[in-house]
Amino acid sequence: MGSATEATKDISENLLGHKKVTVVFVLGGPGSGKGTQCANIVEHYGFTHLSAGDLLRAEIKSGSENGTMIQNMIKEGKIVPSEVTIKLLQTAILESGNDKFLIDGFPRNEENRAAFERVTGIVPEFVLFFDCSEEEMERRLLGRNQGRVDDNIETIKKRFKVFVESSLPVVEHYESLGKVKRIDAAKPIPEVFEDIKVIFSSLASKVMKLVIISS
């Protein structure tokens, strides 16, 4: 009985104010296919997709004082403080009618991770890590036809370097806690989603069992 109670705590007592939520961090290098698969997870499993980058861009576009500060920091090549991004994520979670969230592209580094857990009290249910070779990600990014200025070879190499140096330690931290689900992201899109379905179907049934036990 004790273990069931502990398991229930693990999932249902992530508190944000008084809101109980399930959070999955989605991490992977540029071109690993996170965005495509996040859309699939939202459609099939009812999660809300929160992209840290999108939230920062939306705040800048809003013209708020906070948005101007973020824009100035980015222009000056400074890193936006963790607390600023976390506040935007916190607000998005609290304002959402949902209790299941995919947080994409965050935490970008160990400082982000520690600050998120400290400020929100949330430990992710797991990290969905899109494991993909640099060669494959490079091929995909160069093959995009989106007119993105950051999709040139020099910038791509820099983005890979930042990901390896900053984000991989986050993956390693959660791996040491047994909280990483690795996906072979080099496979074709439908096959990648088949692997994801196994993970999320298992999570859905776990949550259902816990709800039954706790009630």
Side-chain angles (χ1 to χ4, degrees):
M1 183 67 189
S3 62
T5 310
E6 282 161 31
T8 307
K9 237 177 156 176
D10 188 37
I11 285 207
S12 66
E13 289 192 7
N14 290 331
L15 299 179
L16 198 78
H18 293 296
K19 186 167 181 174
K20 296 176 183 179
V21 297
T22 299
V23 165
V24 172
F25 286 148
V26 182
L27 295 175
S32 60
K34 298 192 310 311
T36 301
Q37 298 300 345
C38 280
N40 283 335
I41 296 164
V42 167
E43 185 184 342
H44 288 80
Y45 295 99
F47 275 70
T48 293
H49 178 207
L50 298 177
S51 157
D54 287 352
L55 288 171
L56 287 167
R57 283 186 284 275
E59 190 67 14
I60 291 168
K61 207 172 173 183
S62 76
S64 70
E65 199 176 318
N66 196 34
T68 305
M69 180 268 290
I70 293 166
Q71 188 170 32
N72 289 338
M73 291 196 78
I74 292 169
K75 268 186 192 163
E76 289 164 22
K78 293 178 182 170
I79 293 167
V80 177
S82 294
E83 280 71 15
V84 173
T85 308
I86 291 164
K87 185 82 179 159
L88 293 174
L89 287 165
Q90 220 174 353
T91 302
I93 289 170
L94 285 168
E95 289 178 353
S96 167
N98 205 349
D99 61 356
K100 299 184 295 186
F101 299 91
L102 298 174
I103 296 184
D104 173 11
F106 185 93
R108 284 184 180 274
N109 54 41
E110 270 289 279
E111 194 270 329
N112 275 179
R113 178 199 65 73
F116 181 85
E117 291 187 12
R118 185 180 69 248
V119 172
T120 67
I122 295 172
V123 177
E125 179 58 25
F126 58 82
V127 174
L128 188 65
F129 177 51
F130 284 72
D131 203 355
C132 196
S133 70
E134 284 195 17
E135 292 76 21
E136 175 61 18
M137 290 191 284
E138 187 178 304
R139 188 188 66 74
R140 290 176 183 180
L141 290 171
L142 291 171
R144 277 180 181 173
N145 192 17
Q146 298 177 352
R148 283 179 58 158
V149 287
D150 53 353
D151 285 351
N152 62 65
I153 195 72
E154 294 82 10
T155 314
I156 286 168
K157 296 278 188 203
K158 277 185 198 158
R159 289 167 72 199
F160 286 154
K161 189 169 184 286
V162 168
F163 177 74
V164 169
E165 288 174 359
S166 302
S167 299
L168 279 186
V170 177
V171 175
E172 284 158 10
H173 169 82
Y174 285 117
E175 204 141 41
S176 71
L177 301 175
K179 281 184 170 281
V180 173
K181 311 281 189 189
R182 276 179 187 263
I183 292 289
D184 179 357
K187 292 181 181 177
I189 290 169
E191 288 180 36
V192 172
F193 189 54
E194 285 306 312
D195 293 343
I196 287 171
K197 275 157 75 171
V198 173
I199 294 167
F200 278 83
S201 297
S202 166
L203 174 64
S205 63
K206 181 181 172 187
V207 172
M208 278 306 298
K209 280 178 191 160
L210 293 174
V211 168
I212 292 162
I213 290 165
S214 61
S215 59

